[in-house]
Amino acid sequence: MIHLEGIARTYSVEGQSIPALAGVDLHIGRGEHVAITGASGSGKSTLLNVLGCLDRPSAGSYRLEDADVATLDDDALSELRNRRIGFVFQSFHLLPRLSVLENVLLPLRYCLDPVPGAEDYARELLGRVGLADRMAHRPQQLSGGQQQRAAIARALLLKPALLLADEPTGNLDSKTAADVLGLFAELHRDGQTVVLVTHDPDVAERAPRQVRMRDGKVDHDSGR
């Protein structure tokens, strides 16, 4: 489903070229659960941004399903991110003035076309993540783990092909983190493609496949 060939990303800082990715080849099949790890500066966050179409590579080819990402203009990239990629971040990014249900429905505001049955599906998702009795609550009335589960439900609303998670347990205690990782494992068992970026080796070991980044390259891939 994901095909990266020779992906490079170079930034210009005060007239100097700083390589963040240096020729990444990575292929991820539909329904895989992959953890991308590496030390700070290894390139894992830049790789996540490329996978999520938040940043364009300086060189190389990226195909997501049938989309050649390099050929898409900004509007097409926005549509791709909205409809085919779900994002879960370390900070939950829930809007405090909205209810939990309204937060989960937020992706609809960026859709060009109506999505029939979206509210019913949002309620179903909140039930699945254990928040059926919290739909009318505000985010500040939830625990950190509950807020992250609400964020996961929001990411799944439009049934994305790819779910990207960036340090999703970074703000959680160990028990709550285990619950959230269990939810990712459940989604994977149901066929969801999950790519998780983490610096924590214990979190990475929960994924069936681990990819380790070093100096902007894939240093190890347990699925290769």
Side-chain angles (χ1 to χ4, degrees):
M1 191 182 81
I2 292 172
H3 303 274
L4 301 179
E5 298 282 355
I7 291 294
R9 183 66 173 100
T10 301
Y11 298 99
S12 179
V13 180
E14 296 181 351
Q16 293 187 340
S17 296
I18 307 297
L21 297 176
V24 173
D25 296 331
L26 182 64
H27 306 277
I28 298 174
R30 186 184 304 278
E32 282 202 83
H33 182 188
V34 181
I36 298 175
T37 67
S40 178
S42 63
K44 64 183 186 298
S45 294
T46 303
L47 180 58
L48 177 84
N49 289 338
V50 169
L51 289 172
C53 301
L54 299 170
D55 195 5
R56 292 180 183 269
S58 305
S61 170
Y62 173 24
R63 295 191 64 87
L64 176 60
E65 293 187 308
D66 58 344
D68 184 350
V69 175
T71 66
L72 302 179
D73 61 20
D74 289 343
D75 288 342
L77 278 176
S78 295
E79 180 72 3
L80 181 71
R81 284 192 298 267
N82 182 239
R83 298 304 296 262
R84 298 167 74 175
I85 304 174
F87 294 92
V88 180
F89 300 100
Q90 180 175 345
S91 298
F92 319 121
H93 297 303
L94 301 176
L95 298 184
R97 294 186 179 182
L98 300 182
S99 69
V100 170
L101 178 60
E102 289 168 336
N103 268 284
V104 173
L105 290 170
L106 272 175
L108 296 179
R109 300 191 181 188
Y110 304 98
C111 290
L112 299 178
D113 301 311
V115 183
E119 183 167 340
D120 289 340
Y121 187 55
R123 293 177 183 275
E124 178 185 329
L125 286 171
L126 285 170
R128 182 175 182 181
V129 301
L131 295 176
D133 59 344
R134 295 289 189 271
M135 295 186 194
H137 286 59
R138 296 289 190 268
Q140 58 269 30
Q141 296 174 298
L142 305 182
S143 68
Q146 289 173 328
Q147 290 187 62
Q148 189 61 293
R149 282 185 275 154
I152 292 171
R154 179 183 59 195
L156 295 171
L157 179 68
L158 298 179
K159 301 179 181 179
L162 171 64
L163 182 63
L164 287 179
D166 185 11
E167 301 284 3
T169 61
N171 286 334
L172 305 176
D173 62 75
S174 57
K175 181 184 182 305
T176 304
D179 291 341
V180 169
L181 293 174
L183 179 55
F184 282 121
E186 179 184 328
L187 293 169
H188 166 240
R189 287 193 296 269
D190 290 344
Q192 177 68 55
T193 306
V194 179
V195 177
L196 182 151
V197 170
T198 181
H199 71 280
D200 187 335
D202 292 334
V203 172
E205 286 177 3
R206 297 286 296 268
R209 178 181 174 190
Q210 294 93 43
V211 173
R212 185 174 66 235
M213 297 292 295
R214 183 177 182 181
D215 297 331
K217 298 179 180 180
V218 174
D219 181 56
H220 171 75
D221 184 350
S222 69
R224 182 172 289 172

